[in-house]
Amino acid sequence: MEYTNLGRTGLSVSRLCLGTMNFGPQTSEADSFAIMDRALEHGVNFFDTANVYGWKLGEGVTEQIIGRWLAQGGDRREKVVLATKVYGKMGDWPNEQGLSARHIVRACEASLRRLQTDTIDLYQMHHVSRATPWEEIWQAMETLVAQGKVLYVGSSNFAGWHISVAQEAATRRNFLGLVSEQCIYNLLTRHVELEVVPAAQHHGLGIIPWSPLHGGLLAGVLRKMSEGGAARGTTGRAADALAEHRPTIEAYEKLCGDLGHDAADVALGWLLSRPGVTAPIIGPRTVEQLDRSLGALDVKLDDATLARLDELFPPIGNGGPGPEAWAW
């Protein structure tokens, strides 16, 4: 396993992050335990979850599964850099969602109980709150850090200017502020290259891409269909996206075949080569899927291959950050 620092911090995390959103709804507790155990065997020490995962209002199903796994001992908690999130709706009353100081503190305490731990290593705001001043947010986060309940704070789904405003407010308070941004980023979705990635790099945040395979479309969906296997990219919105991008996906899978790599490994390898990226989030439903994901660490893409990927999946505008992406 390869490791890197999370943004500008001294915290070492694996170059792949274990996403746990499937734990509960798609993956049984026993299989979830097996996946987390295997992740540690592979040296994956970065686990990501959220209080809303499990999708049963207020229950925190996925956090509970992780908590019971951690409670088995065996230095599990000591080995894992544990990340969870706050913002989503956790009840029917008005103050059971968002980023008010009240909700941040109470949601943190509830996550700690479910996770059966004393400390959340990375506490991420799942979405920006346009209704809450940064002075209030940072006061709550500072309290949690001072109490030892949170070590680092991150953002998720923020715009570039949200990151900058948040950091300016944190700096005025002599607070570390954000250390990471978790955002959708993959070959088919490159909007963050315009302003989010540059802002994150400027302020020293590590980028943690979610949906690195774009719902399975970049994981060899056409090959799996031809072999008669089930593929995520054949249902719902993914099916519509596949219809729209089918010629591109066909060319992509041919390129991957010529390279001798699995399509999913190339998609993850491309993200690992991008500036500012700390660790893409993989979301295996089985131990076998986790094992296959590790192949991405062996993918080294040369300049010609990167140029071909840019042809197949063009960046926004002229490429790179704004304003050059859309102006001179």
Side-chain angles (χ1 to χ4, degrees), residues 286-301:
T286 65
V287 168
E288 291 73 24
Q289 288 181 349
L290 171 64
D291 290 341
R292 288 197 296 271
S293 296
L294 275 292
L297 298 171
D298 298 323
V299 174
K300 307 300 179 187
L301 304 175

Side-chain angles (χ1 to χ4, degrees), residues 3-302:
Y3 299 90
T4 189
N5 284 23
L6 178 61
R8 67 191 184 281
T9 75
L11 185 67
S12 293
V13 295
S14 49
R15 290 303 314 274
L16 293 175
C17 177
L18 179 65
T20 62
M21 190 168 66
N22 291 319
F23 294 179
Q26 305 256 353
T27 304
S28 70
E29 181 161 323
D31 288 344
S32 300
F33 280 22
I35 289 170
M36 289 185 280
D37 283 334
R38 183 62 65 86
L40 289 186
E41 290 176 15
H42 284 305
V44 176
N45 76 332
F46 194 12
F47 290 15
D48 176 74
T49 190
N51 59 358
V52 294
Y53 289 173
W55 315 116
K56 291 184 179 180
L57 184 64
E59 294 189 21
V61 172
T62 303
E63 285 187 335
Q64 288 190 46
I65 291 172
I66 296 170
R68 288 189 286 271
W69 177 78
L70 290 172
Q72 295 178 102
D75 290 333
R76 284 175 171 84
R77 182 64 189 94
E78 288 73 18
K79 293 174 181 176
V80 170
V81 175
L82 184 59
T84 190
K85 306 182 192 76
V86 58
Y87 178 88
K89 185 175 181 179
M90 295 300 288
D92 291 323
W93 287 84
N95 289 308
E96 294 182 287
Q97 61 186 314
L99 295 179
S100 69
R102 186 180 193 269
H103 182 63
I104 288 172
V105 171
R106 291 194 172 195
C108 177
E109 292 171 347
S111 286
L112 289 170
R113 287 193 295 271
R114 288 189 291 265
L115 291 166
Q116 300 193 47
T117 187
D118 296 323
T119 304
I120 294 166
D121 296 310
L122 177 63
Y123 202 35
Q124 302 160 106
M125 291 169 271
H126 212 159
H127 196 279
V128 70
S129 173
R130 297 178 176 88
T132 313
W134 278 106
E135 289 75 15
E136 178 180 350
I137 293 171
W138 285 135
Q139 179 174 284
M141 292 296 187
E142 287 167 10
T143 298
L144 294 174
V145 170
Q147 293 173 342
K149 296 175 180 177
V150 167
L151 297 183
Y152 301 94
V153 181
S155 59
S156 182
N157 305 307
F158 275 33
W161 73 272
H162 295 143
I163 292 171
S164 290
V165 170
Q167 285 305 95
E168 295 263 340
T171 299
R172 289 195 299 270
R173 302 175 67 90
N174 296 313
F175 189 60
L176 183 63
L178 301 173
V179 303
S180 62
E181 159 60 19
Q182 186 177 143
C183 52
I184 185 169
Y185 189 17
N186 57 57
L187 281 164
L188 277 164
T189 308
R190 300 181 60 171
H191 305 83
V192 294
E193 293 174 345
L194 294 175
E195 298 200 20
V196 175
V197 172
Q201 288 186 282
H202 176 76
H203 291 289
L205 280 63
I207 295 289
I208 309 170
W210 61 267
S211 193
L213 304 180
H214 203 77
L217 290 189
L218 299 169
V221 61
L222 296 178
R223 176 185 58 79
K224 293 175 183 176
M225 290 170 61
S226 70
E227 294 172 353
R232 289 179 61 201
T234 60
T235 59
R237 288 182 296 175
D240 295 334
L242 176 59
E244 179 183 355
H245 298 289
R246 190 181 187 100
T248 298
I249 300 299
E250 288 176 350
Y252 171 67
E253 292 191 15
K254 181 181 184 304
L255 172 64
C256 295
D258 293 341
L259 293 171
H261 289 300
D262 185 80
D265 291 345
V266 173
L268 290 169
W270 178 80
L271 278 171
L272 288 168
S273 75
R274 305 307 297 168
V277 168
T278 293
I281 296 175
I282 54 173
R285 296 187 299 279
T286 65
V287 168
E288 291 73 24
Q289 288 181 349
L290 171 64
D291 290 341
R292 288 197 296 271
S293 296
L294 275 292
L297 298 171
D298 298 323
V299 174
K300 307 300 179 187
L301 304 175
D302 59 25

